[in-house]
Amino acid sequence: GQNIDQPTEMTATEGAIVQINCTYQTSGFNGLFWYQQHAGEAPTFLSYNVLDGLEEKGRFSSFLSRSKGYSYLLLKELQMKDSASYLCAVLNTGGFKTIFGAGTRLFVKA
Amino acid sequence: DVKVTQSSRYLVKRTGEKVFLECVQDMDHENMFWYRQDPGLGLRLIYFSYDVKMKEKGDIPEGYSVSREKKERFSLILESASTNQTSMYLCATPRASNQPQHFGDGTRLSIL
């Protein structure tokens, strides 16, 4: 079957670093996306990994290990506005279908 | 910037009604998708389209149909609405098949 697992909720303190993990088992792999979704809003794109390694973009970094079926999103210097859900999504081979995880709700406290 | 517009943010309909959800994109993208999002389940693909008049079933197409008469518009139809179709519906389109999805604001649909 196809499965994407990520923690349901996490809490972190303003200014800290948090790592959100994602493991996946899919029939094909053509890249992994991370999206951010604030409550009541649409998801917005954060990062895309198709090769193993770390991609850094400002305060956010994303890591991929294809052999382990594993990714993480790293958020540094947390701000209150980072309180949101973070969705891990795998693009299947063939290119059309993206499989989404249920999302990790991150709470940033002062 | 890609603009994806969904016709309604909130909609309340009755069981058995035929419901139309509209989505329009302004970037001439070929691929368009309809998802529903439910707590604890994430986004699930209902239908997608890769060209005008072309459609493919996603993972949960039962009870739904779609229409793509023009490239910019992708409509989701609930043939006979039922309470288990109460959900957030999201339309999305990527620039290409390996590009990120651009989402509309979503329609929160309640079926009473």
Side-chain angles (χ1 to χ4, degrees):
Chain A
Q2 316 227 70
N3 201 47
I4 297 180
D5 285 317
Q6 46 182 135
T8 305
E9 284 185 4
M10 298 181 72
T11 301
T13 305
E14 196 176 15
I17 300 172
V18 71
Q19 178 175 312
I20 302 173
N21 295 324
C22 170
T23 57
Y24 63 90
Q25 286 178 304
T26 55
S27 57
F29 181 85
N30 203 22
L32 187 144
F33 294 94
W34 284 96
Y35 292 88
Q36 180 190 59
Q37 186 178 24
H38 285 101
E41 297 182 11
T44 55
F45 167 72
L46 287 177
S47 69
Y48 173 64
N49 295 69
V50 65
L51 300 175
D52 290 352
L54 188 69
E55 294 276 346
E56 295 186 78
K57 196 188 287 187
R59 293 190 299 115
F60 292 8
S61 304
S62 56
F63 172 83
L64 175 67
S65 168
R66 287 171 297 169
S67 63
K68 294 188 167 82
Y70 168 69
S71 173
Y72 67 73
L73 180 69
L74 195 71
L75 291 76
K76 302 175 191 173
E77 301 168 17
L78 277 173
Q79 302 175 9
M80 299 299 286
K81 67 178 182 180
D82 297 330
S83 292
S85 289
Y86 292 85
L87 313 180
C88 174
V90 172
L91 181 62
N92 221 332
T93 47
F96 288 123
K97 290 182 71 172
T98 302
I99 303 153
F100 285 83
T104 298
R105 191 180 293 183
L106 175 67
F107 298 94
V108 179
K109 57 182 184 179
Chain B
D1 242 14
V2 178
K3 182 76 175 165
V4 182
T5 303
Q6 293 185 229
S7 49
S8 307
R9 287 300 302 271
Y10 301 93
L11 207 53
V12 180
K13 295 291 182 180
R14 296 208 173 274
T15 304
E17 279 192 73
K18 191 168 186 175
V19 181
F20 293 85
L21 303 183
E22 306 284 346
C23 175
V24 177
Q25 50 105 353
D26 67 351
M27 288 301 290
D28 205 37
H29 290 176
E30 292 182 342
N31 301 330
M32 296 185 76
F33 297 77
W34 274 108
Y35 297 91
R36 61 178 284 177
Q37 185 174 29
D38 300 288
L41 296 177
L43 276 77
R44 291 180 292 166
L45 180 63
I46 305 171
Y47 266 96
F48 66 97
S49 168
Y50 50 89
D51 204 349
V52 175
K53 296 196 187 293
M54 306 302 286
K55 59 186 179 185
E56 290 283 342
K57 292 180 181 178
D59 299 315
I60 51 164
E62 297 79 19
Y64 302 94
S65 63
V66 289
S67 172
R68 184 116 182 252
E69 295 296 318
K70 292 184 178 180
K71 196 172 188 179
E72 67 269 19
R73 185 180 297 269
F74 190 34
S75 303
L76 179 69
I77 303 153
L78 285 67
E79 298 292 342
S80 176
S82 63
T83 54
N84 64 11
Q85 292 178 310
T86 291
S87 187
M88 169 69 90
Y89 289 87
L90 287 159
C91 174
T93 177
R95 185 164 60 86
S97 59
N98 64 345
Q99 296 289 307
Q101 305 259 3
H102 299 271
F103 288 88
D105 287 335
T107 296
R108 188 165 291 282
L109 176 64
S110 296
I111 307 296
L112 305 179

